[in-house]
Amino acid sequence: MTIPSNKKEQLFNSLSKANSTFNEIYPGDRSDRQPVHTLYGGANLFKSDAPILLGQRALEILETYAPNHEVFGKAFGLTGGNDFSKKIYDKVVAKLKSEAIEDFRIDFEDGFGNRSNEEEDATAETAAKEVAKGDERRNTFAFYWYPNQAVYRGNERTRFENLRYFPHHFS
């Protein structure tokens, strides 16, 4: 199927306007804080307590395989003496306790799979409620990602409409 040239130009003009508006609202990387790591998870799996549970599990793993700063320092080749490895170890433990996951990508694409519009809508609504619940408890992530690139790929109707379930994050 080929899009006629005049229709293609209209489409690209509309996308250009939408992109310009988006860029005014979200100008790109901020100069302040940026996440140091990212976790992708299928939207159908997202729960409000995920940050706490994932942090607890990460801390369990750290305590199992690097129960103290000496083991940790040796594993990572930290060569600044015990004070240096202790300082880094303590920071890692504190980070895992306070904010183990900084950036959670609520994935309605690769990690989500092909679903009916109704199922995807229901999942988007549930995910938005879980985000709101986590926000109320103050146990959510510092950064979120929603499927806003869907204008260019995927099922445009459902991907784009999923955003309507997250109005509290766009006001």
Side-chain angles (χ1 to χ4, degrees):
M1 181 172 132
T2 302
I3 300 173
S5 295
N6 64 332
K7 293 291 184 186
K8 192 183 299 185
E9 189 172 326
Q10 285 177 335
L11 177 64
F12 287 143
N13 285 338
S14 295
L15 285 174
S16 178
K17 288 177 189 174
N19 286 338
S20 293
T21 301
F22 181 86
N23 287 332
E24 288 174 19
I25 297 169
Y26 305 102
D29 289 343
R30 299 185 312 264
S31 60
D32 56 349
R33 181 178 177 203
Q34 293 292 305
V36 296
H37 59 276
T38 299
L39 174 68
Y40 282 82
N44 55 315
L45 303 174
F46 182 77
K47 300 289 181 231
S48 65
D49 60 354
I52 293 169
L53 297 176
L54 291 167
Q56 289 171 347
R57 184 65 183 130
L59 195 55
E60 288 170 15
I61 292 168
L62 178 69
E63 290 169 348
T64 298
Y65 295 100
N68 57 54
H69 70 91
E70 288 96 357
V71 175
F72 178 85
K74 189 174 182 179
F76 287 99
L78 300 178
T79 59
N82 268 347
D83 289 344
F84 182 68
S85 66
K86 181 168 177 18
K87 184 177 182 178
I88 301 300
Y89 184 80
D90 289 346
K91 285 185 174 199
V92 169
V93 169
K95 181 67 173 168
L96 291 176
K97 287 180 178 179
S98 66
E99 190 180 53
I101 306 298
E102 290 186 353
D103 180 10
F104 190 95
R105 306 285 171 115
I106 299 174
D107 193 354
F108 285 91
E109 294 178 353
D110 301 331
F112 187 61
N114 294 324
R115 315 242 177 170
S116 69
N117 290 341
E118 294 77 21
E119 185 178 1
E120 189 163 319
D121 287 349
T123 301
E125 185 173 358
T126 299
K129 287 177 182 175
E130 289 293 319
V131 168
K133 191 187 316 180
D135 283 351
E136 288 171 10
R137 294 183 190 150
R138 298 209 173 277
N139 66 343
T140 54
F141 308 100
F143 302 90
Y144 282 97
W145 177 88
Y146 302 98
N148 57 9
Q149 86 282 14
V151 171
Y152 302 105
R153 66 176 204 217
N155 181 334
E156 286 79 8
R157 189 211 75 79
T158 56
R159 304 284 192 257
F160 205 56
E161 287 189 6
N162 285 340
L163 298 178
R164 76 177 182 267
Y165 295 107
F166 295 88
H168 59 289
H169 280 269
F170 295 100
S171 55

